[in-house]
Amino acid sequence: HIMQTAIKKYQKEATLKNLGEITQIPTAIMVDTAEFLTAYNLQLTGTIMQSYPIESGIQYGVKFNNAFDSQTRLISDSYTNNSHLLIWSFQTKIRENFDYKDFPFNHGKIWLSISPLNSSQRVVFTPNFSYYNGLSDINANYGVSPNIIVPGWLIKGSFFTFTNDDTRMIDEVDSYTTVHLPALTFNMIINSTIGDAIITTITPPVVIILILFMVLLTISKHKNKFIEFKLSSIIGSCSGVLFTIVFTHVSLRNKLTSEIMYIEYIYLLMYIIIIMIPVNGFLFAKTQLRFIHYGNNLIFKTLFLLLITSFIFIMTLLSFS
């Protein structure tokens, strides 16, 4: 019902212009593999099943919109009583517009947009829902191979939409003889896998924060044969950790290009911590400020983890609210 309501406005335009009926081509899409070539470029392979009217004069073929290195091959050509069934295998590369702002808790959408090969014909591809047996759950992965694996991502659902088809060569001056028909777009909803993100992007900052906390605990006026407070050692330790943080941060930015991501707030926090610990050690060694020396720097040590967790909690609320 929703699909026919969407088609109706295009048919109404064609009727007003006395252009005749718009031919609907029932189309089913099955995605077999999906591979991320880069953080934004994706390669898809699969099959497309179409049912054309017999002797309709329509040029057969599928065109992939906003894609590159696309290849299609006709693998089945058969007839029924009133239709011509064609099955195509395809491989195409698409540059998706993923938003990594909420990384590593982000989600996105993989889309595949197709149009008739001959854009001048009044033909529109429509979803062939009869192909997807048991179509009932919008969160089910219809049209997606059950064996498909997208590293770092989980496929959470799929659906069809009609989108603007900018590839149709329409003369705007002579638009009275044309109808602006849409492209059929197959969408897959994906969420990033938290386990992979925890290992690669969250665990290193947590370990570094704990190391810096242990460095902070060495600040004391009481000597110990195992632990000795030296300002030069504090600065050297923080400098070594700084290079590790910068290397990890740069590696993340090289992999994902986006505005400031959620995970980067933790890295920015670590930069501040690396500065504050040597400053705290300098004040403890060179000044007599009472709140610094109270309980061998007990106030700063006590507030360390509390301030860090509070900062992360506040940034999480601001990022996801």
Side-chain angles (χ1 to χ4, degrees), residues 86-302:
L86 299 176
I87 301 179
W88 313 84
S89 67
F90 70 87
Q91 175 179 302
T92 186
K93 297 176 183 177
I94 304 172
R95 181 167 179 82
E96 305 280 8
N97 186 24
F98 287 110
D99 185 5
Y100 290 98
K101 183 180 65 174
D102 296 332
F103 184 83
F105 304 102
N106 56 307
H107 58 275
K109 182 178 66 176
I110 298 174
W111 52 265
L112 180 65
S113 179
I114 60 174
S115 298
L117 189 62
N118 187 344
S119 59
S120 63
Q121 294 178 318
R122 288 185 294 277
V123 174
V124 61
F125 293 160
T126 58
N128 185 1
F129 295 114
S130 62
Y131 177 81
Y132 307 101
N133 293 328
L135 185 65
S136 59
D137 183 4
I138 195 172
N139 295 315
N141 299 333
Y142 297 110
V144 182
S145 171
N147 299 320
I148 191 172
I149 297 176
V150 185
W153 299 88
L154 294 175
I155 299 178
K156 305 298 292 185
S158 60
F159 62 95
F160 282 100
T161 55
F162 286 130
T163 57
N164 291 331
D165 188 357
D166 297 330
T167 65
R168 291 184 185 260
M169 304 303 293
I170 296 177
D171 186 355
E172 296 295 340
V173 177
D174 193 23
S175 60
Y176 189 81
T177 61
T178 60
V179 179
H180 295 262
L181 296 175
L184 179 63
T185 302
F186 180 72
N187 307 272
M188 294 185 291
I189 304 171
I190 57 174
N191 291 346
S192 60
T193 53
I194 304 301
D196 179 68
I198 288 177
I199 294 174
T200 58
T201 61
I202 296 181
T203 300
V206 171
V207 173
I208 290 173
I209 288 175
L210 293 177
I211 292 174
L212 292 174
F213 181 60
M214 288 187 286
V215 171
L216 178 64
L217 294 178
T218 63
I219 300 177
S220 174
K221 62 183 177 181
H222 298 299
K223 293 185 178 181
N224 186 295
K225 64 178 180 179
F226 301 107
I227 301 175
E228 183 179 1
F229 166 53
K230 286 185 178 180
L231 183 58
S232 59
S233 299
I234 298 290
I235 296 175
S237 300
C238 292
S239 299
V241 171
L242 175 62
F243 286 107
T244 303
I245 296 174
V246 171
F247 176 78
T248 307
H249 191 187
V250 170
S251 298
L252 177 64
R253 292 299 300 184
N254 288 337
K255 182 173 68 172
L256 304 176
T257 304
S258 176
E259 57 182 295
I260 296 180
M261 296 173 281
Y262 168 74
I263 188 64
E264 286 190 280
Y265 290 115
I266 299 179
Y267 286 94
L268 296 176
L269 175 63
M270 288 190 293
Y271 293 138
I272 298 175
I273 294 172
I274 289 177
I275 296 174
M276 294 304 298
I277 289 179
V279 170
N280 177 251
F282 178 82
L283 295 176
F284 186 86
K286 296 297 184 179
T287 66
Q288 297 298 322
L289 297 175
R290 182 174 299 179
F291 73 94
I292 293 292
H293 285 268
Y294 177 79
N296 279 327
N297 202 30
L298 181 62
I299 295 177
F300 196 80
K301 293 175 182 177
T302 304

